[in-house]
Amino acid sequence: MKPSRSLLLLLLLLTLFTSPSLSRPAPPSLLRLPIDRPRSSARRDCESWRFTVETNDAGPWKQVPGECEAYVEAYLAGERYAADSRAVAEASLAFASGESGRAGTVGGSDAWVFDVDETLLSNLPFYAENGYGAEIFNETSFNEWVDVARAPALQSSLWLYQELQNLGITIILLTGRSEFQRNATEQNMLFAGYRSWERLILRQDSDMGKSAVVYKSERRAELVLEGYRILGNSGDQWSDLLGFAVAKRSFKLPNPMYYIA
Ligand SMILES: *[C@@H]1O[C@H](CO)[C@@H](O)[C@H](O)[C@H]1NC(C)=O
Ligand SMILES: *[C@@H]1O[C@H](CO)[C@@H](O)[C@H](O)[C@H]1NC(C)=O
């Protein structure tokens, strides 16, 4: 019996679709096994490094890996850093506005705690001269930069700061800078456009040697004892936000340049 025309056609089609030159490549798997990880792309690795840093998955780290210096520079100097910071500020204000609406009014005892460096002020001009975190931190030269008091505002943080003030929220500044830097810090805050904070808390002699997370938690606990309700807390370091007497909501700003425990 002769094979029918349709059977011949089917066989022809099968040959066409199974021939390697004509079959389409399989779509890339979304879930790659470790062995499939692309190793050629240094950029992709640095993005993942930044993810682990921002989420605190990386834990303590000393400096930006050398191969990621250019990536970190591009991130900070390009649009990405500003866009990420803006998104954090918008989320912060959405929360604060919601609280304000829910409670009817937000009173003067409702406080928002801001860190200073890489939160309200940007030290990018300093870090640009120092490898964007790829060089070991030089405290002497950073303190010289602090004394100049010309760090610009992180624009989205200045916007958030003013919007929170419009809601009637009390602004508290809690920084790892030391008491001897009070004047320079105040000068710099004014230079950058910040006004009317309630208090600027700096490290005292008795705080030397304490980790940032302990020092900042202790100061927040004092605020709570005074009767403040800490609505929100903004910081570029997890040590600004974790510990005890934490805010109702904490907001982590991006910072792939350095880690403070
Ligand atoms: C740190 O900076 C100071 C002042 O700029 C400089 O004199 C000193 O050599 C630097 N130290 C190191 C280890 O680079
Ligand atoms: C603070 O800085 C201002 C301006 O730089 C200066 O005039 C003033 O003397 C400083 N005050 C202290 C206590 O250092």
Side-chain angles (χ1 to χ4, degrees):
M1 189 182 167
K2 271 169 56 183
S4 73
R5 277 180 65 143
S6 53
L7 184 58
L8 280 173
L9 194 61
L10 183 65
L11 283 170
L12 179 66
L13 283 172
L14 277 174
T15 332
L16 278 176
F17 279 96
T18 51
S19 90
S21 58
L22 287 171
S23 64
R24 291 214 226 139
S29 165
L30 288 177
L31 182 65
R32 288 170 181 274
L33 296 172
I35 202 161
D36 294 335
R37 194 177 41 185
R39 296 188 177 279
S40 54
S41 167
R43 183 182 161 79
R44 186 182 297 253
D45 286 348
C46 291
E47 275 183 8
S48 295
W49 171 80
R50 191 175 75 81
F51 176 83
T52 62
V53 155
E54 296 297 6
T55 53
N56 212 13
D57 289 336
W61 51 281
K62 282 204 162 27
Q63 63 201 100
V64 172
E67 69 269 28
C68 292
E69 182 177 346
Y71 167 81
V72 169
E73 176 178 355
Y75 171 81
L76 294 164
E79 184 48 31
R80 198 70 264 142
Y81 177 47
D84 289 352
S85 304
R86 195 157 49 240
V88 177
E90 283 167 0
S92 309
L93 183 63
F95 164 70
S97 302
E99 285 296 299
S100 166
R102 213 161 48 79
T105 51
V106 165
S109 61
D110 287 300
W112 199 282
V113 175
F114 278 103
D115 166 55
V116 171
D117 292 298
E118 268 57 66
T119 299
L120 294 178
L121 300 179
S122 170
N123 297 301
L124 215 47
F126 170 82
Y127 285 99
E129 297 293 311
N130 292 276
Y132 291 95
E135 289 170 19
I136 288 288
F137 179 69
N138 182 331
E139 194 175 348
T140 310
S141 101
F142 183 73
N143 286 345
E144 287 169 2
W145 158 254
V146 166
D147 273 347
V148 176
R150 285 294 178 274
L154 206 71
Q155 284 306 312
S156 50
S157 293
L158 177 56
W159 171 80
L160 171 64
Y161 180 103
Q162 292 169 340
E163 292 293 329
L164 293 175
Q165 285 183 323
N166 291 341
L167 288 176
I169 295 171
T170 298
I171 306 286
I172 307 279
L173 312 178
L174 176 51
T175 173
R177 291 184 179 192
S178 299
E179 182 59 40
F180 76 90
Q181 293 166 314
R182 179 177 293 277
N183 199 4
T185 303
E186 287 174 352
Q187 297 292 326
N188 199 153
M189 289 290 289
L190 294 171
F191 166 80
Y194 294 99
R195 298 287 180 274
S196 308
W197 53 88
E198 177 67 22
R199 199 177 302 179
L200 167 61
I201 303 171
L202 300 110
R203 266 184 195 261
Q204 305 300 303
D205 288 344
S206 55
D207 297 316
M208 298 305 159
K210 278 180 195 163
S211 69
V213 71
V214 168
Y215 154 68
K216 293 198 167 186
S217 293
E218 287 176 356
R219 291 311 150 89
R220 283 195 308 271
E222 285 168 19
L223 291 168
V224 171
L225 272 178
E226 279 182 52
Y228 283 111
R229 190 169 80 107
I230 305 175
L231 213 54
N233 187 2
S234 304
D236 64 292
Q237 300 290 322
W238 283 99
S239 55
D240 296 329
L241 310 173
L242 299 176
F244 49 93
V246 295
K248 187 161 184 195
R249 281 277 307 268
S250 296
F251 295 89
K252 169 71 170 72
L253 281 86
N255 183 359
M257 292 188 293
Y258 58 84
Y259 175 92
I260 296 173

